[in-house]
Amino acid sequence: TPDLIENFYQSTTLSSYNHNEDYLIMHLTNVMIYSLKIGTGLKYPREELLELGLAALLYDIGFFKIPESITGKSGRLTEAELITVKKHTEMGKNILSQFNAEHPMLSRVAYEHHERKNGSGYPAGLKDDAICEYAIIIGLADTFGAMIHNRPHRKALAQYFSIRELVALKNSLFPSRFIKIFLDEMGVFPVGSYVRLNNMETGRVISNSKLHPLKPTVKMLFNSRGEKLPEEPIIKLEGHPVLYVTAGVSKEDLSPK
């Protein structure tokens, strides 16, 4: 149900993980939640949500066949290593094709989740409607999930900045209607992201309002001098007469101290 998806989303997407294997497992879990939120926004019936969720858990299964010396590499990948990584879509398709009779979308999503609207993706350079809808949804969720968590080769972006990046990509990599649904479901300031208010205090978003996406509910963490607040009050900005968000904040910039 939508409420169950929302509760699971809030409890899992705030998790932290450092090891490469932990990253892959938690990333798949988060992508499933993001995908189900998009599917809910698209009014998918229960049966399609179940199929979408299963595809989102298994779409990257081919990645586990890539040597950890490559997936865990902290430096820039070589051209040969990039070619090897890109093979995970074909590997995933081959692994999941045995379930085609009951779940025909699993292997197709594994194969197409890196395809992009403008044809710049891989492995086949598909465009527009040639990409299956589940693969578009999961590709979008995968991109967002990769942005907001540390990888061996790249530091995470703050969730607010990742949302801005996705909006910038809407006319090239993903259809705009899917990004709109994603924004409607996630909010401009996603749960778990950090924001600064006009009183210069900073806090973490704990819930959003679809009617007023710029006015989330925030648990305040630091005062205007960057000092930790002892009680961490919760402020519902929707309807608040004075306070509002002025900016998103990266985790590293939470406190000047």
Side-chain angles (χ1 to χ4, degrees):
T1 65
D3 288 342
L4 178 62
I5 293 170
E6 179 64 26
N7 290 338
F8 193 34
Y9 158 68
Q10 293 194 28
S11 66
T12 58
T13 56
L14 302 183
S15 301
S16 61
Y17 38 86
N18 298 310
H19 300 298
N20 192 47
E21 183 175 335
D22 292 341
Y23 170 81
L24 289 172
I25 293 171
M26 283 303 299
H27 177 68
L28 293 175
T29 303
N30 286 339
V31 168
M32 179 188 71
I33 300 304
Y34 302 145
S35 298
L36 289 175
K37 286 175 72 66
I38 297 171
T40 300
L42 291 167
K43 310 300 183 186
Y44 277 7
R46 181 176 183 275
E47 293 74 16
E48 290 186 20
L49 286 175
L50 289 172
E51 198 69 13
L52 176 64
L54 183 60
L57 279 177
L58 297 173
Y59 76 99
D60 234 3
I61 193 169
F63 208 80
F64 289 91
K65 302 287 286 184
I66 305 299
E68 191 171 352
S69 59
I70 295 177
T71 61
K73 184 177 178 179
S74 58
R76 188 180 183 89
L77 298 182
T78 66
E79 188 65 31
E81 288 169 336
L82 283 172
I83 291 173
T84 298
V85 168
K86 289 183 177 182
K87 291 179 180 178
H88 79 277
T89 56
E90 183 73 38
M91 294 175 179
K93 175 184 177 182
N94 293 338
I95 293 170
L96 295 174
S97 62
Q98 61 185 301
F99 304 106
N100 280 350
E102 294 183 0
H103 303 285
M105 297 304 296
L106 296 185
S107 62
R108 185 173 178 184
V109 169
Y111 187 70
E112 295 182 9
H113 70 273
H114 279 293
E115 300 288 1
R116 297 295 180 257
K117 173 187 173 183
N118 62 1
S120 65
Y122 67 88
L126 301 178
K127 292 183 178 182
D128 298 318
D129 294 340
I131 309 168
C132 74
E133 193 161 290
Y134 284 7
I136 294 172
I137 293 171
I138 291 170
L140 175 57
D142 174 69
T143 298
F144 178 74
M147 284 178 172
I148 65 171
H149 290 293
N150 289 326
R151 298 296 301 272
H153 61 282
R154 181 191 54 75
K155 291 186 67 175
L157 292 174
Q159 292 194 22
Y160 167 66
F161 299 109
S162 299
I163 289 288
R164 293 200 313 181
E165 288 283 326
L166 287 178
V167 172
L169 296 174
K170 69 179 181 180
N171 292 322
S172 57
L173 303 187
F174 300 102
S176 57
R177 75 182 184 97
F178 290 98
I179 292 185
K180 182 181 184 305
I181 291 292
F182 184 77
L183 292 175
D184 288 344
E185 293 298 315
M186 295 289 293
V188 176
F189 303 103
V191 171
S193 62
Y194 298 96
V195 294
R196 180 167 290 119
L197 306 188
N198 58 310
N199 64 356
M200 297 305 293
E201 293 187 349
T202 54
R204 187 180 71 215
V205 175
I206 60 173
S207 67
N208 281 291
S209 167
K210 288 188 178 181
L211 291 177
H212 301 94
L214 295 177
K215 297 183 177 181
T217 298
V218 182
K219 176 180 283 190
M220 305 311 301
L221 301 175
F222 298 95
N223 65 22
S224 59
R225 297 183 299 277
E227 299 166 341
K228 193 79 169 66
L229 293 171
E231 297 183 1
E232 297 186 352
I234 293 175
I235 298 178
K236 187 174 182 179
L237 296 177
E238 185 179 17
H240 198 286
V242 177
L243 296 177
Y244 55 89
V245 175
T246 59
V249 182
S250 66
K251 189 172 183 180
E252 291 77 10
D253 296 331
L254 273 179
S255 170
K257 295 183 179 301

